[in-house]
Amino acid sequence: MLNWTSPGKLKAKGIIGMNRRNIRYIGRYNSRKLYPLVDDKLKTKLLAQEYGITTPEHIGTVSTQFSVKHISEMLAGHNGFVIKPAKGSGGKGILVIERVESKHFIKPSGAELDIEDVERHVSNILSGLYSLGGSPDVALVEGLINFDTTFAAYTYEGVPDIRVIVFKGYPVMAMMRLSTAASDGKANLHQGAVGVGIDIASGRAVRGVQFDRSRTDHPDTGHELASLQITGWTTLLELASGCYEMTGLGYLGTDMVLDRDRGPMLLELNARPGLAIQMANGEGLRRRLDLIEAQTEERSAAERVAFAQHHFARQGELQEAPAEAI
């Protein structure tokens, strides 16, 4: 019982719950007719290309069961790739192949698959096994991200991604998600990835959390989190901010990665972003969202980012935390 808190304390910290998120922000600022732009990763990718926003290399799509048997032809010449459902959510159904050796497809964990395993996975995607509502889906095949090795010590068998909550075009809160053995190399907090709150002003880590408990290091690599800092942070925020004009959605989650050669890249967008980002930051969204709602001046993406960096700057808890999980 000592780990429980009261509704009053949560309110005092500005924590918002699902009801307020759904009614006050998603319901008010996100038109349902725009949801397909972000619920379908293929539509998101095509829209991003139209707006000049960088995304991972598009190798191809598989949309019919007949085409599944030809997947090997599509993959020929690619030593690594990612297969994902266009309408998937929460990291479900994403297959990452780090390299190909002879006729074996090697996952980041070292597990080996053969072409029949890959075909079966694609077939499951098409049948809707991983899609929202179980509806028939399309499989996207993308090139591997050239992982920025700056973050190698902060993650385990996976590429860390960066979630930024964008409200009315302003980046209001951010976190980096670090894959772990528990999350099977996926950057998904519900599966055991580590969430690291990121200071909007500087791109520095402010707090770490795993399974809803604070921690100061990575559970598998043992590397401390306090030194984590994202380079090119302002550029990344401007990319996230620009997704407001791109989609027309007022309350949005943007998921991005840092490519060693191409810089920040957009992975996907979410019209119903989760609330765990508040836990990662040790701070609620309420005050930040209230400030943005009060703004009446029209600003460009760069101006919105500058506004957010000025008003939402904060000191990190990690620099003063003990070396072990608390």
Side-chain angles (χ1 to χ4, degrees), residues 8-23:
K9 289 181 179 179
L10 292 176
K11 184 177 181 179
K13 288 184 72 68
I15 302 293
I16 67 169
M18 289 184 64
N19 287 341
R20 185 175 182 85
R21 182 203 65 173
N22 293 345
I23 297 170

Side-chain angles (χ1 to χ4, degrees), residues 253-268:
T254 67
D255 294 340
M256 286 167 286
V257 291
L258 293 173
D259 185 271
R260 185 170 60 247
D261 303 314
R262 303 172 69 192
M265 293 199 299
L266 178 67
L267 275 184
E268 59 183 83

